[in-house]
Structures are given as C-alpha cells and as structure tokens.
Amino acid sequence: MNMKPYFIRAEWDEEAGVWVATSDDVPGLVTEEATMESLVEKLKVILPELLEANGIKFDQDVPFEIMTRRFEIAQNA
C-alpha cells in the first residue's frame, strides 16, 4: 500500500540566503539550508524523526513532495 506523500513548501529567503522548508502535514517542521540539494538531504533525516516525535506511526519509507517558490526581478536592459 502506497502512502500519500507529505507536502513540503520551500521558499527562498533572499535576506538570509537560504531555502526555508515548512509543512502543514508535518507538525513542527521549520528548517533551512543554503542549497535545495542540502535541504532535500536534511529532510530525508528529519521528516521521520519529526513524525515519530509527533506520534505518527509509519512502517515504511516516508515519501515527500517539495513545492518551491522563489521570486526574482529581471532588470530592464
């Protein structure tokens, strides 16, 4: 039986220079990393830990989906 993936939002914080991840599906999730790749690797470790800490039981790997958002300004030449 396939588990529904946990939905994670990742937004670029221009001022801090990091990706910030939060989720309504994973109580207490707020973490940041400088690159998207390092954020994904961090999420692979902390998602199961946070779910377990919140009493959410799972017997298999924890699937997750990341929706990213980053705003930029293109300068007029």
Side-chain angles (χ1 to χ4, degrees):
M1 180 171 148
N2 290 336
M3 287 180 62
K4 177 184 165 202
Y6 288 91
F7 183 74
I8 312 295
R9 287 179 306 281
E11 296 189 26
W12 179 249
D13 182 330
E14 180 69 32
E15 188 174 312
V18 295
W19 286 98
V20 179
T22 59
S23 176
D24 293 335
D25 291 346
V26 184
L29 176 63
V30 179
T31 193
E32 61 187 41
E33 284 290 334
T35 67
M36 182 54 62
E37 291 77 17
S38 59
L39 182 64
V40 169
E41 292 306 311
K42 188 174 191 178
L43 289 169
K44 288 178 181 180
V45 173
I46 67 172
L47 284 179
E49 292 173 355
L50 278 172
L51 292 172
E52 186 175 336
N54 283 289
I56 300 171
K57 304 289 183 199
F58 53 93
D59 294 328
Q60 51 187 311
D61 294 337
V62 178
F64 62 97
E65 176 182 356
I66 302 173
M67 171 71 88
T68 62
R69 186 164 68 174
R70 179 173 178 163
F71 295 97
E72 294 288 341
I73 298 173
Q75 300 295 320
N76 189 2

